[in-house]
C-alpha cells in the first residue's frame, strides 16, 4: 500500500527538473546574499567611527580637554565637567527610583499589578525623548520655576534613565532561582533580610549592567537636556546655574553656525561621547557574559 | 506590619507615576478649545495664528514608514543569515555590530549624516536617481544640492530602527525549536524553505512586535531628523525635498522659543503636538509589547 | 572502498551502510558500522544512552551534517547510490529518506497543510496533493480521527495524534525509508500503542529504522534488532534471536537491564 499518487523516486542526484534547479539555486544564492546585509550595519558604523575620529583627533589636545577658561571657545573642559556633574546626580536619582522600584516590583507586587507596572516601564522606554524633554521644560523649568538650570536638566534626564535601571533590577530579582528564594524565606528570613543578604549579591552584576546601560543612554541624550538647561561659560556654581552638556554643545554649535571652528569642536564632543558610549557598552557586554557563565556554573 | 509592606511597595510605582505625570502635565498645558480640530489642518504659521500640524504628521509617516519597511526587510535578512546561513563563529563576530548601531547617540548620527553623508546624497546619489529612476512618482527633479531632505532622513531612521527590528526578529527566529527546523529539513526542504514556511510563521508574533517597536523608534526620533530633514513647514514635493516631522518640529520650536518668554499659544500648541506624538507611540508600543511573551527582551539599548 | 556496494535489485538492501565512522574532535561516536536494511523491514536500533544510536540514524539521511564539528567516513548506499557521494544533494536525499523525531514537531499550520508540506515544496498540483495527503493520513492511521477537521490547527491535536501527523507528513512524499528516532518517548502508553500499530502496518511496504532505548518495544514491533555499544555494532539479527539468544555478553547485559 504505497502512496499511488506520488511516484517513489530513487534518484538522489540532481534530477534536471526546473523546479528543483530553482529551489536549490535560490537557497544557495540567498545563502550568499543575506550575510551581505550585515554590511548595511557595518559600513555606516565604520564610516561614522572613522570620520568622527578623523575630524576630532588632529586637534584634540590635553588643553582642549581640560581648559575651563570661559574665554576659550575651542575647549571642552566646561562641557566635560558639566556632563560629568549632570550624569552623576541624574544617575544617582535614576538608581534611587529605579533600584527600589524594580526590587519592590519583583518582591512585593502581585503578578497582576507587577504586569501593569512593567508595561508602564516599557512604555516609558518607548516614549520619544522630545516628550520627556517637553515635560521637563513645562514642569521643572516653568511650573516649578527652576528656570533653564542644572537641576532641571538632572531631574529630566533621571526620569529618562529610570526605567532602564528599573527593568534590570526587576529582572535581576525576578530571575533569582526559585529554590534559592524559597529556601531563604522558608528558613525564616524576613523579606528585607532576603533582599539584602541573598538577593542583592546574586542580582548585583545584572543591576550594574542596567546602571551602565542607563548611563550610556543618558550621556547620549540631547532633546531632554537642550530643553531644560542652557549652556554656560562656567561650570555650574549653584543647582540653578546654567550647565553645558556635550550633546547640547553639538546641537548648539550645529544650530548656530556651520563655521569650521565650531564644527571641529562639535566633532570632538561627538568623539568623546562615542568613546564613552562604546566603552560603557563593552563593559555591559563583559559583565553580562561573565555573569551568565557564573550563573550556568552555579545553577546548571 | 502590613503597612510596612505597602510602603516598601510604593517605589514600584515610579515608572507609572512618571508616565501619568507626563500625561497630566501635557493635558494641563493644553486645552483643545484653543485650536479645535483646526489643529489637524495643513497651515502652520504662528504669526498669523495658524497651528495646523498635518504637514508634520504626514512628514512623520512619510519618513518613518519607509524607514520601517527597509529596516524590517534588512532586519529579517540579517536575522535569517545569523540564525541559519552563517557559522556560529561569524555570527558572534558580526552580531555585535548591529548592537553597536543601537548605542550610537542620535546627535552623533545627526552630525555624521549632516557633514559626511548629506554631501554624498546631494552630489552623487540624488543626481543618479534623477537620471535613472525619475519615472517613479516622487523621484523626479528638482533635487537640492545639499542632500538634506526626506531621503537622507529615511536613511538615518532606517539605521536607527535597524537594531530594534533585527534583535527582535533574531529572538523570534531563535525561539523556533531546533526540532522544528530539523523536521523541515528532514522533509527535504531547503534552508530557505524552512525559514519561509516554518520559522517565520512560528515566530510571527515576535516579527510583528519588531515592526511596532521599530516604527515607534523611527516615529519618535527627534534630534537626528531635526538635523537632516531641513525644517520646512510645507509638504515635501519629492523625496529630495525638505520637510519636517512632529518630533523634530517640536524640538526646533521649543529650542527657538526657549530664549524668549514662551507664549502661551506656543506652549499649548507644543503640548498638543506632544499628546499626538505620545498617543501614537503609546499605541504602537502597547501593541508591540503585548506580542512579546518574555518579561523584557534582550538587554540592548533603546529596546 | 567499492563504488557499487549493492545493486538496486528488487530484493537487494534498500539501504546499505558500509564502514561508517563518525568522529567528533578525535573521539569516535560511530566506529566502522556495516549494516544492511532489506526492503519491507523494521530494524530496531537499540543500545545504552550515549552509544551513538541517534547519531547513527542521523547519518542515514545526512541530518548529521547539521551538527557542526562532526566528520563522516565510510558510505551509506541508497539503492546503490552513496548518499555521501559527489553530486548528491542532501535536500534530495531527505525526500527519499524521511525522519520522525522524539517529540512531535507539527508546524504552526492546519492539519492538512502539515501533511502537504513536502508536496507544496515541489509545487504538486492541487488534486495530487489532496490524494497524497489522504493516503498518507490513512497510512499513518490518523485519517478516521481527523477527516472531519483537516483545516483545524495541528497544534490542537493530542500528543499521540501529533506524532502520527508527523509520520503522515513524512509519508506524503512517499519515501522508501522512514527513520524514527525514539518516536514514542514523549507519549503516554495508549498513544504509544497507536504509533506502534502504525509502525507495524508501515513495515509491510517500506523500510523502517526505529531507534529505541526500550527493549520491549523492539520486541513488540521489530523484525530485526541491531545492538550498538560505544559506537560499534555489536550484534545484528532477527529480533527473536538477538533478544532471546544473544551471542555477545554485552548484548545480554543490556537486554537483562544491567546497563540501566
Amino acid at each position: 500500500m504505497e502512496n499511488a499518487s506520488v511516484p517513489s523516486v530513487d534518484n538522489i542526484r540532481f534530477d534536471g527538473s526546473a523546479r528543483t534547479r530553482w529551489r536549490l539555486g535560490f537557497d544557495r544564492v540567498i545563502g550568499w546574499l543575506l550575510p551581505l546585509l550585515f554590511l548595511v550595519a557595518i559600513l555606516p558604523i565604520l564610516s561614522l567611527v572613522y570620520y568622527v575620529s578623523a575630524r576630532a583627533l588632529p586637534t584634540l589636545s590635553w588643553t582642549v580637554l581640560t581648559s575651563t577658561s570661559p574665554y576659550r571657545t575651542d575647549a571642552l573642559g566646561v562641557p566635560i565637567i558639566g556632563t560629568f556633574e549632570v550624569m552623576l546626580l541624574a544617575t544617582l536619582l535614576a538608581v534611587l527610583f529605579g533600584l527600589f522600584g524594580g526590587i519592590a516590583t519583583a518582591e512585593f507586587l502581585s503578578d497582576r499589578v507587577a504586569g501593569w507596572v512593567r508595561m508602564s516601564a516599557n512604555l516609558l522606554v518607548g516614549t520619544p525623548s522630545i516628550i520627556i524633554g517637553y515635560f521637563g521644560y513645562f514642569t521643572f523649568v516653568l511650573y516649578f520655576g527652576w528656570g533653564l538650570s542644572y537641576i532641571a536638566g538632572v531631574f529630566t534626564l533621571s526620569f529618562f534613565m529610570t526605567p532602564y535601571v528599573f527593568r534590570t533590577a526587576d529582572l535581576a530579582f525576578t530571575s533569582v532561582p526559585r529554590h534559592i528564594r524559597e529556601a531563604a524565606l522558608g528558613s525564616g528570613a524576613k523579606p528585607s533580610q532576603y533582599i539584602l543578604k541573598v538577593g542583592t549579591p546574586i542580582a548585583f552584576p545584572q543591576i550594574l549592567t542596567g546602571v551602565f546601560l542607563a548611563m550610556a543612554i543618558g550621556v547620549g541624550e540631547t532633546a531632554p537636556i537642550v530643553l531644560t538647561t542652557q549652556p554656560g561659560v562656567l561650570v555650574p556654581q549653584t543647582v540653578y546655574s546654567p550647565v553645558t552638556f556635550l550633546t547640547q554643545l553639538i546641537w548648539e554649535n550645529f544650530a548656530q553656525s556651520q563655521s569650521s571652528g565650531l564644527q571641529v569642536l562639535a566633532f570632538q564632543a561627538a568623539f568623546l561621547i562615542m568613546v564613552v558610549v562604546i566603552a560603557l557598552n563593552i563593559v555591559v557586554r563583559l559583565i553580562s557574559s561573565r555573569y551568565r557563565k557564573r550563573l550556568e556554573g552555579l545553577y546548571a | 506590619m502590613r503597612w510596612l509592606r505597602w510602603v516598601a511597595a510604593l517605589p514600584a510605582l515610579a515608572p507609572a507615576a512618571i508616565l501619568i505625570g507626563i500625561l497630566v502635565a501635557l493635558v494641563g498645558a493644553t486645552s483643545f478649545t484653543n485650536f479645535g480640530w483646526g489643529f489637524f489642518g495643513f497651515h502652520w504659521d504662528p504669526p498669523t495664528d495658524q497651528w495646523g500640524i498635518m504637514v508634520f504628521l504626514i512628514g512623520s509617516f512619510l519618513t518613518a514608514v519607509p524607514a520601517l519597511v527597509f529596516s524590517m526587510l534588512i532586519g529579517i535578512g540579517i536575522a535569517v543569515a545569523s540564525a541559519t546561513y552563517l557559522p556560529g563563529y561569524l555570527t558572534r563576530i558580526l552580531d555585535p555590530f548591529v548592537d553597536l548601531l543601537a548605542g550610537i547617540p542620535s546627535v552623533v548620527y545627526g552630525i555624521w549624516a549632516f557633514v559626511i553623508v548629506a554631501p554624498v546624497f546631494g552630489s552623487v546619489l540624488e543626481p543618479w536617481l534623477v537620471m535613472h529612476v525619475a519615472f517613479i512618482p516622487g523621484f523626479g527633479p528638482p533635487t537640492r544640492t545639499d542632500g538634506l531632505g526626506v531621503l537622507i532622513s529615511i536613511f538615518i531612521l532606517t539605521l536607527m530602527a535597524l537594531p530594534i527590528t533585527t534583535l527582535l526578529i533574531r529572538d523570534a527566529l531563535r525561539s523556533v525549536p531546533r526540532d522544528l527546523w530539523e523536521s523541515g529539513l528532514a522533509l527535504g526542504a531547503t534552508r530557505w524553505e524552512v525559514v519561509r514556511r516554518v520559522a517565520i510563521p512560528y515566530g510571527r508574533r515576535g516579527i510583528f512586535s519588531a515592526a511596532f517597536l521599530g516604527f515607534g523608534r523611527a516615529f519618535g526620533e527627534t534630534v537626528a531628523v531635526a538635523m537632516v530633514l531641513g525644517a520646512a513647514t510645507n509638504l515635501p514635493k519629492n523625496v529630495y525635498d525638505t520637510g519636517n516631522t512632529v518630533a523634530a518640529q517640536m524640538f526646533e520650536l521649543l529650542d527657538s522659543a526657549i530664549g524668549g518668554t514662551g507664549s502661551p499659544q506656543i506652549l499649548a500648541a507644543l503640548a498638543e503636538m506632544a499628546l499626538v506624538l505620545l498617543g501614537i507611540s503609546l499605541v504602537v508600543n502597547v501593541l508591540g509589547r503585548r506580542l512579546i511573551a518574555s518579561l523584557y527582551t534582550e538587554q540592548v539599548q533603546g529596546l | 572502498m567499492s563504488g557499487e556496494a549493492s545493486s538496486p535489485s528488487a530484493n537487494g538492501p534498500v539501504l546499505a551502510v558500509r564502514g561508517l565512522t563518525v568522529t567528533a574532535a578525535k573521539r569516535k561516536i560511530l566506529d566502522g558500522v556495516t549494516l544492511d536494511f532489506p526492503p519491507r523491514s523494521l530494524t530496531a536500533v537499540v543500545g545504552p544512552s550515549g552509544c551513538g544510536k541517534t547519531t547513527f540514524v542521523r547519518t542515514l539521511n545526512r541530518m548529521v551534517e547539521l551538527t557542526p564539528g562532526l566528520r563522516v567516513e565510510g558510505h551509506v548506499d541508497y539503492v546503490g547510490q552513496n548518499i555521501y557521494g559527489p553530486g548528491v544533494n542532501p535536500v534530495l536525499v531527505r525526500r527519499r529518506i524521511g525522519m520522525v523525531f522524539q517529540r512531535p514537531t507539527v508546524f504552526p499550520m492546519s492539519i492538512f497543510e502539515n501533511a502537504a508540506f513536502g508536496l507544496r515544496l515541489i509545487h504538486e498540483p492541487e488534486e495530487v496533493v489532496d490524494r497524497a495527503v489522504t493516503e498518507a493520513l490513512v497510512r499513518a492511521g490518523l485519517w478516521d480521527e481527523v477527516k472531519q477537521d483537516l483545516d483545524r490547527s495541528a497544534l490542537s491535536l493530542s500528543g499521540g495524534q501529533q506524532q502520527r501527523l508527523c509520520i503522515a507528513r513524512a509519508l506524503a512524499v512517499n519515501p522508501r525509508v522512514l527513520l524514527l528516532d525514539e518516536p514514542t518517548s514523549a507519549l503516554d502508553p495508549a498513544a504509544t500503542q497507536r504509533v506502534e500499530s502504525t509502525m507495524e502496518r508501515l513495515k509491510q511496504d517500506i523500510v523502517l529504522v526505529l531507534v529505541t532505548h526500550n527493549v520491549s518495544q523492539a520486541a513488540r514491533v521489530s523484525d530485526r534488532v541491531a545492538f550498538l555499544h560505544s559506537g560499534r555494532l555489536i550484534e545484528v539479527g532477527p529480533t527473536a534471536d538477538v533478544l532471546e539468544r544473544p551471542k555477545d555478553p554485552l548484548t545480554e547485559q543490556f537486554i537483562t537491564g544491567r546497563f540501566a
Side-chain angles (χ1 to χ4, degrees):
Chain A
M1 191 191 72
E2 292 196 12
N3 267 30
S5 324
V6 185
S8 188
V9 188
D10 287 338
N11 183 18
I12 53 174
R13 291 195 170 75
F14 176 52
D15 56 9
S17 83
R19 176 67 192 154
T20 310
R21 188 195 304 272
W22 166 253
R23 289 179 60 215
L24 300 181
F26 191 79
D27 185 53
R28 182 166 307 161
V29 170
I30 281 281
W32 280 105
L33 288 184
L34 289 187
L36 291 182
L37 285 175
F38 267 106
L39 291 178
V40 178
I42 292 172
L43 291 182
I45 288 264
L46 294 182
S47 160
L48 192 148
V49 170
Y50 171 76
Y51 280 109
V52 170
S53 310
R55 300 260 170 151
L57 285 180
T59 47
L60 195 64
S61 65
W62 186 245
T63 331
V64 171
L65 290 177
T66 53
S67 169
T68 54
S69 156
Y71 304 108
R72 287 189 64 148
T73 52
D74 62 344
L76 290 170
V78 171
I80 288 175
I81 294 174
T83 305
F84 184 78
E85 289 184 352
V86 170
M87 285 306 293
L88 191 71
L89 196 54
T91 307
L92 271 176
L93 287 175
V95 169
L96 194 72
F97 301 141
L99 188 62
F100 287 109
I103 294 176
T105 305
E107 294 297 327
F108 298 126
L109 293 189
S110 69
D111 285 352
R112 229 174 77 92
V113 181
W116 283 102
V117 170
R118 282 171 189 145
M119 184 52 122
S120 66
N122 281 333
L123 291 180
L124 205 54
V125 166
T127 300
S129 58
I130 177 71
I131 289 178
I132 309 230
Y134 179 75
F135 165 73
Y137 174 68
F138 186 79
T139 310
F140 301 127
V141 176
L142 297 184
Y143 194 76
F144 289 1
W146 293 347
L148 297 166
S149 59
Y150 169 77
I151 194 72
V154 161
F155 267 88
T156 310
L157 198 61
S158 75
F159 278 20
F160 196 79
M161 292 159 66
T162 296
Y164 294 94
V165 183
F166 177 94
R167 296 202 309 179
T168 31
D170 174 19
L171 190 63
F173 269 83
T174 310
S175 50
V176 169
R178 201 191 178 85
H179 62 268
I180 292 183
R181 185 173 188 276
E182 281 168 2
L185 292 174
S187 61
K190 283 189 224 143
S192 58
Q193 287 172 324
Y194 160 73
I195 290 169
L196 285 175
K197 298 254 166 66
V198 182
T200 305
I202 295 177
F204 185 73
Q206 203 172 352
I207 292 174
L208 207 59
T209 65
V211 175
F212 283 141
L213 203 64
M215 287 169 73
I217 287 174
V219 77
E221 240 348 293
T222 311
I225 285 288
V226 170
L227 302 184
T228 52
T229 65
Q230 54 184 330
V233 290
L234 294 170
V235 294
Q237 311 294 308
T238 73
V239 292
Y240 300 112
S241 301
V243 60
T244 317
F245 205 71
L246 279 166
T247 54
Q248 184 184 24
L249 178 132
I250 301 175
W251 168 255
E252 300 289 343
N253 282 11
F254 167 88
Q256 280 167 12
S257 134
Q258 270 106 47
S259 85
S260 63
L262 291 176
Q263 221 184 57
V264 167
L265 201 64
F267 269 104
Q268 288 172 337
F271 176 78
L272 289 182
I273 295 168
M274 198 173 74
V275 169
V276 169
V277 167
I278 291 178
L280 283 169
N281 271 293
I282 290 174
V283 171
V284 165
R285 209 163 249 284
L286 287 179
I287 298 177
S288 62
S289 69
R290 257 182 56 191
Y291 164 73
R292 257 184 224 129
K293 266 183 209 129
R294 217 187 72 189
L295 219 159
E296 277 160 17
L298 264 179
Y299 311 116
Chain B
M1 297 296 268
R2 207 171 154 68
W3 62 274
L4 204 65
R5 219 180 147 78
W6 279 103
V7 172
L10 268 184
L13 300 177
I18 295 175
L19 208 57
I20 292 168
I22 291 174
L23 272 171
V24 168
L26 292 186
V27 172
T30 180
S31 44
F32 259 92
T33 48
N34 268 358
F35 310 109
W37 293 110
F39 194 61
F40 289 100
F42 277 87
H43 295 286
W44 176 271
D45 190 26
T48 60
D49 208 21
Q50 296 193 79
W51 306 90
I53 62 158
M54 208 46 165
V55 168
F56 311 127
L57 207 53
I58 291 174
S60 289
F61 281 101
L62 215 57
T63 49
V65 170
L68 175 72
V69 171
F70 288 132
S71 67
M72 281 301 284
L73 291 175
I74 298 165
I76 289 177
I78 292 180
V80 166
S82 142
T84 26
Y85 288 101
L86 286 177
Y89 68 94
L90 268 181
T91 309
R92 274 189 293 279
I93 295 171
L94 293 176
D95 280 350
F97 279 95
V98 181
D99 301 356
L100 207 55
L101 271 185
I104 307 285
S106 58
V107 71
V108 178
Y109 272 120
I111 194 168
W112 169 71
F114 184 85
V115 178
I116 310 293
V117 185
V120 179
F121 268 60
S123 62
V124 182
L125 181 70
E126 293 179 359
W128 188 89
L129 287 173
V130 166
M131 290 264 289
H132 294 94
V133 298
F135 57 89
I136 305 174
F139 282 80
T143 59
R144 296 160 50 90
T145 47
D146 60 7
L148 300 182
V150 175
L151 206 59
I152 193 169
S153 303
I154 294 173
F155 170 72
I156 287 297
L157 289 178
T158 302
L159 284 185
M160 298 182 87
L162 188 61
I164 295 189
T165 56
T166 306
L167 292 172
L168 288 171
I169 297 168
R170 202 163 71 196
D171 274 4
L173 292 181
R174 287 195 179 149
S175 75
V176 179
R178 204 184 145 75
D179 280 2
L180 223 52
W181 287 100
E182 295 199 340
S183 303
L185 295 172
L187 284 163
T190 62
R191 291 170 297 180
W192 172 250
E193 286 164 341
V194 178
V195 166
R196 198 175 79 76
R197 290 164 187 262
V198 180
I200 289 179
Y202 186 93
R204 60 185 179 275
R205 289 167 64 93
I207 294 171
F208 279 126
S209 83
F212 282 120
L213 297 187
F215 181 77
R217 175 76 192 255
F219 199 81
E221 175 49 40
T222 308
V223 176
V225 174
M227 290 165 98
V228 296
L229 190 48
T233 51
N234 52 304
L235 280 177
K237 287 183 284 296
N238 59 24
V239 296
Y240 319 113
D241 202 5
T242 55
N244 219 348
T245 67
V246 177
Q249 172 65 21
M250 275 186 73
F251 184 56
E252 281 149 6
L253 191 65
L254 251 178
D255 188 39
S256 58
I258 258 172
T261 47
S263 81
Q265 285 282 48
I266 287 182
L267 281 181
L270 282 165
E272 295 195 5
M273 287 164 85
L275 277 175
V276 171
L277 190 59
L278 184 63
I280 293 172
S281 69
L282 283 184
V283 167
V284 294
N285 274 285
V286 167
L287 289 173
R289 294 286 174 187
R290 294 208 77 135
L291 287 168
I292 317 178
S294 62
L295 189 56
Y296 304 117
T297 37
E298 218 179 317
Q299 286 290 328
V300 172
Q301 289 196 15
L303 227 63
Chain C
M1 211 168 285
S2 66
E4 292 290 306
S6 57
S7 65
S9 67
N11 289 316
V14 176
L15 214 51
V17 180
R18 293 290 174 266
L20 189 70
T21 298
V22 177
T23 329
K26 296 196 177 151
R27 197 176 67 84
K28 282 186 175 168
I29 299 176
L30 286 176
D31 190 356
V33 174
T34 294
L35 184 59
D36 281 352
F37 295 95
R40 292 177 294 281
S41 67
L42 196 168
T43 306
V45 180
V46 299
S49 52
C51 70
K53 54 189 191 293
T54 291
T55 307
F56 174 69
V57 81
R58 285 166 66 89
T59 57
L60 298 184
N61 66 346
R62 292 183 67 167
M63 290 302 281
V64 71
E65 290 166 9
L66 302 178
T67 317
L70 295 187
R71 213 172 77 244
V72 180
E73 291 158 286
H75 56 131
V76 176
D77 294 321
Y78 171 76
V79 288
Q81 311 161 78
N82 182 7
I83 66 170
Y84 291 95
V88 173
N89 194 305
V91 168
L92 300 175
V93 170
R94 294 176 192 140
R95 284 195 79 74
R96 321 295 181 226
I97 306 175
M99 190 168 197
V100 174
F101 294 79
Q102 282 191 24
R103 282 167 200 290
T105 53
V106 296
F107 299 145
M109 47 185 93
S110 72
I111 294 169
F112 184 90
E113 284 306 320
N114 259 279
F117 186 86
L119 302 158
R120 297 273 187 234
L121 299 178
I122 47 172
H123 286 190
E124 289 285 2
E126 201 61 38
E127 62 272 17
V128 176
V129 173
D130 271 350
R131 258 185 292 131
V133 164
T134 309
E135 276 174 308
L137 288 169
V138 169
R139 291 175 76 195
L142 190 61
W143 176 251
D144 290 332
E145 291 160 60
V146 300
K147 63 184 174 193
Q148 300 301 331
D149 32 30
L150 291 174
D151 292 331
R152 229 172 57 198
S153 164
L155 296 164
S156 66
L157 296 174
S158 73
Q161 288 174 321
Q162 288 192 11
Q163 193 61 304
R164 277 176 288 146
L165 180 58
C166 291
I167 295 176
R169 186 173 66 186
L171 290 175
V173 293
N174 206 8
R176 273 185 190 279
V177 182
L178 186 59
L179 312 172
L180 302 129
D181 185 5
E182 305 203 17
T184 61
S185 64
L187 303 182
D188 63 49
T192 298
Q193 198 267 322
R194 281 165 182 255
V195 171
E196 283 180 3
S197 60
T198 296
M199 289 192 283
E200 281 183 88
R201 252 179 301 113
L202 288 174
K203 74 179 178 186
Q204 310 299 325
D205 43 52
I206 59 172
V207 174
L208 297 185
V209 182
L210 169 69
V211 168
T212 179
H213 59 269
N214 182 340
V215 178
S216 54
Q217 181 171 59
R220 284 196 297 272
V221 299
S222 71
D223 313 314
R224 298 194 318 149
V225 169
F227 175 64
L228 281 178
H229 186 266
S230 305
R232 276 178 321 176
L233 179 67
I234 305 294
E235 190 166 350
V236 61
T239 302
D241 291 358
V242 176
L243 295 187
E244 282 161 31
R245 294 176 295 281
K247 295 189 192 87
D248 195 289
L250 279 172
T251 320
E252 190 179 356
Q253 280 179 15
F254 177 71
I255 294 164
T256 52
R258 257 175 266 169
F259 281 111

